[in-house]
Amino acid sequence: MMFYATALKTQHTKPDYDQGLLWVTLLLLALGLVMVYSASIAIAGANRFTGHQESYYLMRHLIYLVVSLMAGFVAFQLPVRAWQKLAPYLFIAGIVLLALVLVPGIGREVNGSKRWISLLVVNLQPSELMKVFVVLYAADYTIRKAGHIESFTKGFLPMLLVMLFIGGLLLLEPDFGAFAVIIAVGMGILFLGGINVKQFAALIVMLMIGFVIVIWVSPYRMQRIIGFMDPWADPFGKGYQLSHALIAFGRGEWFGVGLGGSVEKLMYLPEAHTDFLLAVIAEEFGFAGVTLVVLAFAYLTLRAFAIARQATLLARPFGALVAHGIGIWLAVQSIINMGVNMGLLPTKGLTLPLLSFGGSGIVANCIALGILLRIDWENRQLLKGYAI
């Protein structure tokens, strides 16, 4: 009797959400807040736009985190079936926003790229929200076309045309990094949804040819490839960013120079608080700090895939595909950003999820993880025999 009472108590006190997923997410957000402040002190203090306030980016990032956590909480409250119903409408809204970015007077240009819509106090980056919308839409599309997913004309071609249209809008901004992530997510969900293997292989070949053509006809992308292959050949020109990122990694050694001790963030490493935040982490916390970040993203990815597997076993295909899509998104974007910082991939304007400065990116990440937690929560309710 005592054993039964203890088991019953344990069952009732066991949380209905994935504690590990939540705490790792909060850990990354907290680390991001600290590192954004550390990496941005010099540039904020030297910039007249920020009023020479060293805490300028810290305060803005803190506001972004509050808004993002609220957005993630709201996302968690919506049932998965509601997200499935909203998926087509959110996808259309995302396409409209991507188009508005290109309209003169609406889209805001920064560093030669027109990726933002000014909302007076903040800038909205539609490509970040589009990553969430693509995950939801691709999952919904795969479910709706389940009976025709292996058909070229009824299953494969419509999705291909839509993705090419989105890709065209992103390349006009240009935002090649977001394009690569969105294509990877869409392809991953279609593959898991049962697309014809021959069509999938043909798509990969077409994408590889397309990537080569896009790089070949674009001088600045070609320059990035050249600079990436040998940054020390032109350390003050094409290889400037990468060479300083590598110096930061080298200075960090095993355990880093200590929080706040980075030299590269002192106006040497461009975009230290956004695209190259990992380089500052490497310099201040060394190999140990970078390993912690890599393991955290590996954990999030594996948990997403585990939640997807559980949803599959419970006959919840939409939730399973969305969870897979979120896992693929986090994995691909983090790998690209880390690869760029370490000199393994050409320089791309792609932030590190949950860590880098940027309101739209953090909001999109928290919404996605809120949805992932909801999928897991509903899985647990079904396992307990409750209706959802």
Side-chain angles (χ1 to χ4, degrees):
M1 181 65 70
M2 184 179 295
F3 174 79
Y4 175 77
T6 303
L8 188 62
K9 181 180 179 181
T10 303
Q11 181 179 359
H12 282 296
T13 57
K14 187 177 180 180
D16 284 341
Y17 61 92
D18 192 322
Q19 285 186 308
L21 180 63
L22 179 62
W23 281 110
V24 170
T25 299
L26 293 176
L27 172 67
L28 287 172
L29 290 173
L31 177 62
L33 179 65
V34 173
M35 293 312 302
V36 163
Y37 181 43
S38 177
S40 65
I41 289 177
I43 188 173
N47 196 334
R48 286 185 295 176
F49 173 75
T50 65
H52 302 288
Q53 298 178 5
E54 293 182 344
S55 62
Y56 175 82
Y57 290 104
L58 169 68
M59 297 310 297
R60 289 180 72 87
H61 194 70
L62 184 59
I63 293 171
Y64 293 153
L65 286 185
V66 172
V67 173
S68 300
L69 288 171
M70 292 173 60
F73 179 76
V74 172
F76 177 78
Q77 301 305 311
L78 286 179
V80 175
R81 63 177 179 275
W83 285 111
Q84 186 171 5
K85 292 179 181 178
L86 289 171
Y89 305 104
L90 292 174
F91 188 70
I92 293 172
I95 292 176
V96 172
L97 289 173
L98 286 179
L100 286 175
V101 167
L102 304 174
V103 177
I106 297 179
R108 185 170 182 266
E109 186 172 334
V110 178
N111 296 331
S113 297
K114 190 176 286 187
R115 303 177 185 175
W116 297 268
I117 297 175
S118 178
L119 300 179
L120 299 180
V121 293
V122 294
N123 294 320
L124 174 68
Q125 189 173 355
S127 60
E128 292 293 340
L129 296 178
M130 196 62 183
K131 294 170 187 174
V132 183
F133 301 159
V134 164
V135 168
L136 295 170
Y137 178 76
D140 177 58
Y141 178 87
T142 303
I143 299 301
R144 286 188 287 109
K145 298 286 186 176
H148 307 285
I149 196 66
E150 291 193 5
S151 169
F152 177 79
T153 56
K154 294 182 180 180
F156 175 75
L157 185 60
M159 190 64 177
L160 175 63
L161 294 176
V162 169
M163 297 301 287
L164 288 176
F165 179 68
I166 295 173
L169 292 175
L170 290 170
L171 292 177
L172 287 174
E173 294 184 6
D175 194 347
F176 191 75
F179 172 64
V181 172
I182 286 174
I183 289 297
V185 170
M187 285 178 56
I189 291 177
L190 284 176
F191 177 76
L192 293 168
I195 190 174
N196 184 281
V197 176
K198 292 182 179 179
Q199 294 176 11
F200 185 75
L203 176 60
I204 292 177
V205 173
M206 290 168 57
L207 285 173
M208 292 177 64
I209 295 173
F211 282 144
V212 171
I213 293 174
V214 167
I215 293 170
W216 186 266
V217 301
S218 179
Y220 86 92
R221 290 195 181 100
M222 183 61 73
Q223 292 298 321
R224 284 187 172 183
I225 295 293
I226 295 173
F228 148 74
M229 295 180 69
D230 187 7
W232 307 110
D234 187 12
F236 299 104
K238 297 184 291 290
Y240 183 81
Q241 268 186 314
L242 180 53
S243 61
H244 280 279
L246 294 176
I247 291 172
F249 272 87
R251 291 193 73 246
E253 298 185 355
W254 288 103
F255 298 103
V257 297
L259 179 62
S262 169
V263 172
E264 287 301 319
K265 70 183 181 185
L266 303 178
M267 311 300 288
Y268 293 105
L269 180 62
E271 308 298 337
H273 59 302
T274 54
D275 301 347
F276 283 86
L277 187 67
L278 186 68
V280 179
I281 294 174
E283 188 175 2
E284 296 191 350
F285 292 104
F287 178 80
V290 173
T291 301
L292 176 64
V293 172
V294 172
L295 290 176
F297 279 107
Y299 179 84
L300 290 181
T301 303
L302 292 174
R303 282 305 305 149
F305 290 163
I307 291 170
R309 182 175 181 275
Q310 186 70 69
T312 301
L313 295 175
L314 293 170
R316 305 180 63 222
F318 177 76
L321 290 174
V322 169
H324 272 128
I326 293 171
I328 293 170
W329 166 18
L330 292 175
V332 170
Q333 184 162 336
S334 59
I335 287 172
I336 292 176
N337 180 274
M338 293 173 187
V340 167
N341 276 254
M342 297 177 188
L344 301 175
L345 294 172
T347 303
K348 275 299 342 124
L350 204 60
T351 58
L352 189 58
L354 299 169
L355 288 168
S356 296
F357 177 81
S360 300
I362 298 290
V363 169
N365 296 155
C366 286
I367 290 174
L369 288 166
I371 296 172
L372 185 60
L373 282 166
R374 178 71 191 198
I375 296 169
D376 174 70
W377 182 85
E378 292 189 5
N379 287 348
R380 294 171 187 245
Q381 300 309 302
L382 287 174
L383 287 172
K384 290 180 179 181
Y386 300 141
I388 55 173

